[in-house]
Amino acid sequence: MRGAWVTNWPSLRSKSLRSSSSSSSPSSSSSLSWNLKLLGPILPDVWMMPRPNSNAFRSQSSANGKTANVINGNSIARAIRSGVANEICRMKETIVKSPGLAIVLVGGRRDSRTFIRVKLKACEEVGITTYVEELPEECTEDEVLRVVSRLNNNPSVNGIIVQLPLPQHVDEERIINFVSPEKDVDGFHPLNMGNLAMKGREPLFIPCAPKSCIELLLRSGVEIMGKRAVVVGRSKIFGLPTSLLLQRHHATVSTVHSFTKDPEHITSEADIVIADVGIPNLIRGSWLKPGAAVVDMGTNQVQDPGIDRGFRITGDVCYDEAIKVVSAITPVPGGVGPVTNSMLLSNTLDSAKRAFGFI
């Protein structure tokens, strides 16, 4: 049986690669079917990959004369938001309804409020109705559950976000598990994560940050199938679902974590490196294979007295070194972040389409 698989593999791979060259990028009216493509092909089905977006790159020359493509997340995010806004306009005109997103905030963390403001602004721009439920830091777990239960049963709410982190006395797992899988636009519910992990099954939602990583690679014309991919980090929110998505696209995936020996040796053999560990400049240029594609999901504040606010934002990859080695890289900021926010809008739209039976 194993011999037959080995014998048939080259023809399957050849057929899939031939099919990929003739595929086209997704239209704004097919976001649900595009989600299926983001999950990756199930061989021997036809391999689908969007054509490279000429606006997705800006070139930057390194000191040794090589040119790396800097993947423009802002440009890709604008294209996604435009498609979402067009679909919502069509929904309003056709069925006189619009998507609704509810955000649950427990406590008054400044960073959480900042993240929520960004999400609210993005929702307003595309026409998504928002509801914010604020609870005091000292509220009980049962109080949070009651709010989530009410939102689960509210037909005007198509998506629910519980802003993390929660206070220490509140069990995050219990709260996340209580969100209806049909409204879990963050994609963190065990049902959605489990279906993502199982071949042949489809989650209702893909977590936004991992989804944005694959979107960036696909829209930038980076080949995934058959390539060696390394994910640095294994968190349940970022690293784990990103690894699962890459496997669905038939990459050969390795995970590097805090117990990995010689991590730089593993990353230096990878065609694709995706990093999210929260350590600024952890991945140096010497860790990377020449010509690799790098997606930096890290967002770290580094003190910088030369800037008015006293700090700058940097990723987990040492950008100044990596740009001299790789063929494509996402900057921080302006890479994964804006696309992740756009994926939240896309997930909310998809949820509303399912709820309203809107095609």
Side-chain angles (χ1 to χ4, degrees):
M1 187 69 179
R2 182 181 179 186
W5 181 85
V6 173
T7 300
N8 291 333
W9 167 245
S11 61
L12 291 177
R13 184 174 184 274
S14 175
K15 176 182 178 183
S16 299
L17 289 175
R18 284 198 303 272
S19 300
S20 68
S21 63
S22 62
S23 62
S24 58
S25 58
S27 65
S28 61
S29 62
S30 59
S31 58
L32 289 176
S33 61
W34 177 235
N35 271 343
L36 301 182
K37 297 174 190 175
L38 282 173
L39 290 173
I42 300 174
L43 293 177
D45 290 345
V46 176
W47 168 255
M48 301 292 287
M49 178 181 287
R51 292 170 183 158
N53 181 354
S54 59
N55 293 323
F57 291 117
R58 57 181 188 272
S59 296
Q60 181 166 329
S61 297
S62 64
N64 61 11
K66 294 182 178 179
T67 301
N69 289 321
V70 181
I71 301 175
N72 190 341
N74 288 317
S75 172
I76 293 174
R78 281 193 297 270
I80 296 169
R81 287 198 300 270
S82 176
V84 170
N86 290 339
E87 280 293 275
I88 291 175
C89 284
R90 189 171 69 89
M91 180 182 289
K92 289 179 178 178
E93 292 172 356
T94 306
I95 61 174
V96 199
K97 290 183 178 180
S98 61
L101 175 67
I103 303 175
V104 180
L105 173 63
V106 182
R109 285 177 59 113
R110 181 178 299 177
D111 56 347
S112 292
R113 290 189 177 276
T114 299
F115 292 142
I116 288 176
R117 279 198 300 272
V118 172
K119 293 169 184 174
L120 293 176
K121 183 173 184 261
C123 286
E124 182 181 6
E125 289 175 353
V126 300
I128 293 175
T129 304
T130 53
Y131 311 84
V132 179
E133 298 280 351
E134 295 193 40
L135 293 165
E137 180 89 17
E138 64 276 7
C139 74
T140 66
E141 191 171 294
D142 285 342
E143 287 176 313
V144 181
L145 290 172
R146 280 196 291 272
V147 169
V148 173
S149 177
R150 176 161 47 81
L151 295 173
N152 281 340
N153 295 316
N154 185 344
S156 298
V157 173
N158 305 113
I160 300 172
I161 293 175
V162 178
Q163 185 65 45
L164 303 178
L166 294 172
Q168 290 187 351
H169 68 279
V170 178
D171 185 347
E172 283 188 1
E173 288 296 324
R174 187 181 177 201
I175 303 300
I176 289 172
N177 293 354
F178 200 71
V179 174
S180 169
E182 290 81 9
K183 298 186 178 185
D184 170 40
V185 289
D186 265 337
F188 297 156
H189 191 281
L191 179 65
N192 286 318
M193 289 290 283
N195 284 336
L196 178 62
M198 298 183 71
K199 184 177 179 180
R201 295 194 180 183
E202 298 166 9
L204 294 171
F205 303 101
I206 307 170
C208 297
K211 185 178 179 181
S212 70
C213 285
I214 302 301
E215 184 84 17
L216 285 162
L217 292 172
L218 292 179
R219 290 201 181 219
S220 304
V222 175
E223 185 181 359
I224 302 176
M225 186 167 62
K227 299 298 183 179
R228 290 187 178 185
V230 170
V231 178
V232 184
R234 54 176 176 176
S235 71
K236 61 187 176 184
I237 296 176
F238 302 111
L240 173 60
T242 301
S243 297
L244 295 174
L245 271 176
L246 287 166
Q247 289 183 57
R248 281 187 173 247
H249 282 271
H250 305 285
T252 301
V253 184
S254 300
T255 301
V256 168
H257 49 78
S258 58
F259 293 94
T260 302
K261 295 181 179 179
D262 299 323
E264 62 273 23
H265 174 71
I266 298 172
T267 56
S268 67
E269 294 184 338
D271 303 299
I272 300 168
V273 175
I274 297 177
D276 183 56
V277 289
I279 302 176
N281 300 321
L282 171 69
I283 299 174
R284 316 299 299 197
S286 60
W287 286 39
L288 300 170
K289 175 182 177 180
V294 175
V295 177
D296 191 348
M297 299 171 72
T299 305
N300 310 290
Q301 291 187 3
V302 177
Q303 291 185 350
D304 189 340
I307 299 178
D308 289 341
R309 60 184 177 180
F311 67 89
R312 56 188 169 83
I313 302 297
T314 187
D316 294 342
V317 179
C318 183
Y319 183 87
D320 291 339
E321 294 181 9
I323 197 75
K324 301 174 183 178
V325 180
V326 302
S327 62
I329 186 170
T330 59
V332 178
V336 175
V339 181
T340 299
N341 290 330
S342 296
M343 288 305 176
L344 172 62
L345 308 178
S346 177
N347 279 357
T348 304
L349 171 61
D350 290 345
S351 180
K353 283 184 170 184
R354 277 192 292 263
F356 302 148
F358 184 73
I359 300 176

